[in-house]
Amino acid sequence: MASGPELFVVCKKCNSEVSPYITECPYCGTRLRKRAPKLEKGGAPRAARRRQRPKLTRLKPGEIPGVRADRRPYATISLVLISVLASLAFRSGLVDLSRLADVVALSPLDGQYWTLVTQLFLYVFSTGYEIAALGTIFLFGWLLERRHGAWAPLLVFLVGGAAGSALVLALDPSGGTIGGNSCALALLAAWTMRDVLARRRGEEDDADLLGVLAIAVVLVLLPLATVEPHSLAGLGGGVAGIVLGLGLARLR
């Protein structure tokens, strides 16, 4: 036989067995439930229906004015991926280290201006430097890309990195620098400027500027731990990031 509903319930006050379809105990008058259960055809109680929670879909372009649609940070991922592949090519021996002079800016440039940018993608000697720089580039590049679009992290990366490389060549031609320390500081500064200006106006936000400051200190001190980055490159990238960040802060 098919299983049916409960035959009785027990009153909590007088311990009497009573019908499950009544609301008050007939012996002591204790309230058993607010209302009797509804019966389906055949006398069985209606099964409780589970409420399905609405599922949130990805935000579509133009769905909420002023809020950018959810997109993967393809530009930022490309910057990090190019750096990883270029560094692996030199470290694995696929490209001989003697060819490093062809992609690193040396004084005088002799027309090889592209080396001001190509050297930003190389991390040949220090894995710790690579992790710190690329981690920062990905974090703040992704935040900038989510805020303004793919063009913003590309612009800040290239301008900040080139400014840092040029500053090293101008003030310390024999020093040299490789890697994206200047790019990381430029992206960090560019993203931070909007929140800094907002706090000066007395506006509240959820940005953890103390965490940003800690990351900036690590990047500034990296030249003391490895020979690849140059302190002047970080200075040039940081200043360029501040200038670009002031301009980006005026955009919607």
Side-chain angles (χ1 to χ4, degrees), residues 49-63:
R49 296 180 181 177
R50 294 183 178 179
R51 295 183 179 178
Q52 296 182 352
R53 296 182 178 178
K55 296 182 180 180
L56 296 177
T57 58
R58 293 179 63 87
L59 190 63
K60 299 178 181 179
E63 184 175 354

Side-chain angles (χ1 to χ4, degrees), residues 10 34 41 58 67 72 78 81 84 91 95 100 120 124 130 136 150 165 176 178 188 192 195 199 204 207 221 232-233:
V10 178
K34 293 183 178 180
K41 293 181 180 180
R58 293 179 63 87
V67 179
R72 289 183 175 87
S78 300
L81 188 60
V84 171
R91 290 188 177 187
V95 179
L100 196 62
L120 305 175
V124 182
E130 181 178 7
T136 305
S165 301
I178 60 175
L188 182 149
T192 308
D195 296 318
R199 293 196 178 186
E204 296 183 359
L221 296 179
L232 289 176

Side-chain angles (χ1 to χ4, degrees), residues 81-100:
L81 188 60
I82 292 173
S83 299
V84 171
L85 294 178
S87 302
L88 285 177
F90 279 95
R91 290 188 177 187
S92 63
L94 185 63
V95 179
D96 193 81
L97 285 177
S98 60
R99 302 296 302 273
L100 196 62

Side-chain angles (χ1 to χ4, degrees), residues 136-162:
T136 305
I137 290 171
F138 179 79
L139 173 60
F140 292 98
W142 166 61
L143 292 173
L144 270 179
E145 188 167 352
R146 187 175 66 173
R147 180 183 291 176
H148 299 291
W151 64 271
L154 293 176
L155 174 65
V156 176
F157 181 94
L158 295 176
V159 173

